[in-house]
Amino acid sequence: MEVRALPENPYSCERTEDELWSKLSEPADEHEQGCPNCQAQRKRLATLSLAAGQWSAETDSEADEELLGGLLDRVMDRVRTEVRRGVRFTIRITPHGPLMISGYLLLETLRDAVDQLPYISLGSHKILPGELPDTISLSLKIAIEAGQDGTALAQQAREALLTHFAERIGISLGAIDISVEDVIHEH
Amino acid sequence: MPGSEKPDEQQIRSLVARAQSGDARAFEKLLKLHQHGLLRFCRSMLGSSSEAEDVLQDVYLGAWRQLSTLKSSEALGVWLYRIARHRCIDHLRKRTPVPHDLHTEENSTGSVPLHGQRSTEIPETYAENRVAMLDLRRYVGELPQNQRESWVLKEIHHLSYASISEIVGEPVATVRGRIARARTTLAERMQPWR
């Protein structure tokens, strides 16, 4: 651990550079107005403050926007590829071998089902192998809007999930564990 | 969640939880909240736009692969800056030493771009301020790395001492000392502009 003292106060009064810097945007107070050291140091720091302020306020150029957009696209392509390569679930054992389904597809189906519902915001969620044959189980945490009935919304979410999984990918669900974890307050 | 509005804390918590569950779209939204700051930080650390772009790509991918280590959504920005700092330091260790010149990120013609010029400033004043700022960038680039990162995080990104302490993994007192030393050095070097 680096332990070094702050730079010594080079001024004859008690005000440190740190104090002067933190108040530089304010008008000089009574002491500073009458103190030649503080006046000199305020002038000395003002140049740095102006340049730092301009640097900080600098807006991103169009070129930066393009650069960041392209960069994010490239990264997200790789992220999505990694996600698609993820875990697979066995949903049926047939005489010809197991039938597998991508965890990515199951998670997307889960998200689509919950995202269409009003007053609910999906948090963490996961897919688990079902306890019954040919099923999978879901576990999800949700936030609900303030003033809404959490039990009723959880039941709506459960029904939407059953419908989505059955109609979209023909999967039967086992347990659907839903936990209301947060309340969304209107601003 | 409206697309263009900045999400509130609850929405960010939800996005973090979703991203940690493998939701790539949620992760993308989280990155968009910090991408400009991270790019500027990497540029400040490396003094090169092209290298900053390469490192930032590593930062994003590293963040995706380490998402499970993010314990609190409130610390998302700090967590991302910490990853960025580590990647920048790794990059600096590997590269052949070159003069750190932050002028090079401005343009290749050497002219002073007038992007963002304030209408109340006369061009001469604006141009002088702009050149002073470019000088400051160069002087910041010449600071020791530990002073440079702390000064940039405080004065350019306006992070608190506590957040910077978390990012660089040093006590607040150490961070304060580094920033103070950097300020003293920079104020001295900027004297010709008075």
Side-chain angles (χ1 to χ4, degrees):
Chain A
M1 184 178 76
E2 178 190 5
V3 181
R4 291 174 63 187
L6 288 170
E8 284 183 20
N9 183 9
Y11 322 124
S12 55
C13 78
E14 293 300 312
R15 298 266 165 113
T16 64
E17 189 179 270
D18 219 26
E19 287 174 280
L20 289 168
W21 177 261
S22 66
K23 293 172 32 177
L24 207 59
S25 59
E26 301 166 18
D29 62 21
E30 197 176 327
H31 164 84
E32 288 162 6
Q33 283 176 17
C35 172
N37 293 302
C38 285
Q39 284 175 19
Q41 294 316 317
R42 279 181 70 98
K43 277 185 192 165
R44 177 174 155 272
L45 292 171
T47 312
L48 174 61
S49 176
L50 185 69
Q54 185 154 8
W55 181 356
S56 175
E58 194 178 40
T59 53
D60 296 298
S61 67
E62 284 182 17
D64 281 351
E65 291 293 338
E66 277 182 32
L67 182 156
L68 285 167
L71 180 61
L72 196 55
D73 287 346
R74 289 197 298 280
V75 169
M76 292 314 299
D77 280 347
R78 288 182 63 174
V79 165
R80 279 186 279 269
T81 302
E82 287 185 14
V83 168
R84 289 194 178 100
R85 279 197 207 122
V87 66
R88 281 170 166 66
F89 288 83
T90 303
I91 52 165
R92 199 158 300 152
I93 302 292
T94 74
H96 308 289
L99 178 58
M100 318 275 282
I101 191 162
S102 131
Y104 166 75
L105 178 59
L106 296 172
L107 287 166
E108 284 290 292
T109 306
L110 184 160
R111 291 173 199 133
D112 286 347
V114 179
D115 285 346
Q116 66 166 1
L117 300 171
Y119 314 122
I120 292 181
S121 173
L122 178 64
S124 62
H125 50 281
K126 61 185 174 186
I127 308 285
L128 303 159
E131 289 181 6
L132 298 173
D134 301 346
T135 67
I136 56 156
S137 295
L138 311 180
S139 174
L140 52 146
K141 294 176 179 175
I142 58 172
I144 61 165
E145 284 192 14
Q148 296 295 321
D149 180 340
T151 309
L153 289 177
Q155 185 55 30
Q156 275 181 35
R158 195 168 272 123
E159 286 165 9
L161 287 161
L162 286 165
T163 305
H164 252 67
F165 274 81
E167 290 181 356
R168 291 203 178 180
I169 48 177
I171 301 280
S172 301
L173 296 179
I176 307 174
D177 293 334
I178 300 178
S179 171
V180 180
E181 296 276 320
D182 209 346
V183 175
I184 306 163
H185 294 281
E186 286 293 327
H187 296 288
Chain B
M1 184 186 310
S4 58
E5 286 178 22
K6 193 177 175 191
D8 61 26
E9 281 183 22
Q10 193 284 325
Q11 289 169 325
I12 291 175
R13 279 201 299 276
S14 169
L15 286 171
V16 169
R18 289 181 71 130
Q20 288 179 322
S21 301
D23 185 345
R25 280 189 296 270
F27 178 66
E28 186 174 10
K29 286 179 185 172
L30 292 171
L31 287 185
K32 281 181 176 174
L33 296 175
H34 294 280
Q35 60 180 350
H36 292 95
L38 289 170
L39 177 64
R40 295 174 88 184
F41 177 66
C42 290
R43 281 178 173 165
S44 304
M45 289 287 284
L46 302 171
S48 155
S49 276
S50 59
E51 289 179 56
E53 190 179 345
D54 291 343
V55 168
L56 192 53
Q57 184 161 320
D58 283 348
V59 171
Y60 287 173
L61 285 169
W64 171 252
R65 290 165 186 162
Q66 297 172 46
L67 257 177
S68 61
T69 68
L70 175 56
K71 300 297 180 201
S72 158
S73 59
E74 277 75 24
L76 174 70
V78 168
W79 183 76
L80 285 169
Y81 275 98
R82 193 160 53 227
I83 294 172
R85 173 181 176 266
H86 283 145
R87 301 284 161 145
C88 286
I89 291 173
D90 284 348
H91 189 84
L92 287 168
R93 282 183 184 142
K94 284 177 196 162
R95 83 176 175 194
T96 309
V98 292
H100 191 116
D101 186 354
L102 286 154
H103 280 294
T104 55
E105 70 183 66
E106 295 311 312
N107 62 38
S108 56
T109 64
S111 63
V112 179
L114 294 178
H115 176 76
Q117 181 178 333
R118 293 176 189 154
S119 59
T120 54
E121 289 177 310
I122 59 170
E124 292 78 5
T125 307
Y126 174 81
E128 279 186 10
N129 289 345
R130 178 88 186 153
V131 176
M133 183 195 74
L134 295 179
D135 269 359
L136 173 61
R137 286 183 172 206
R138 185 156 54 86
Y139 300 147
V140 168
E142 290 166 1
L143 289 171
Q145 175 248 313
N146 59 13
Q147 289 184 27
R148 180 167 73 240
E149 64 190 12
S150 293
W151 188 88
V152 166
L153 289 169
K154 183 77 182 80
E155 305 300 346
I156 305 305
H157 296 263
H158 305 297
L159 298 187
S160 66
Y161 286 116
S163 293
I164 299 169
S165 161
E166 280 189 60
I167 291 168
V168 304
E170 296 284 358
V172 168
T174 304
V175 168
R176 289 185 80 101
R178 288 175 181 173
I179 292 170
R181 280 189 290 282
R183 186 192 306 126
T184 301
T185 304
L186 295 172
E188 286 304 321
R189 301 209 65 180
M190 293 299 287
Q191 283 314 288
W193 279 101
R194 272 180 62 181

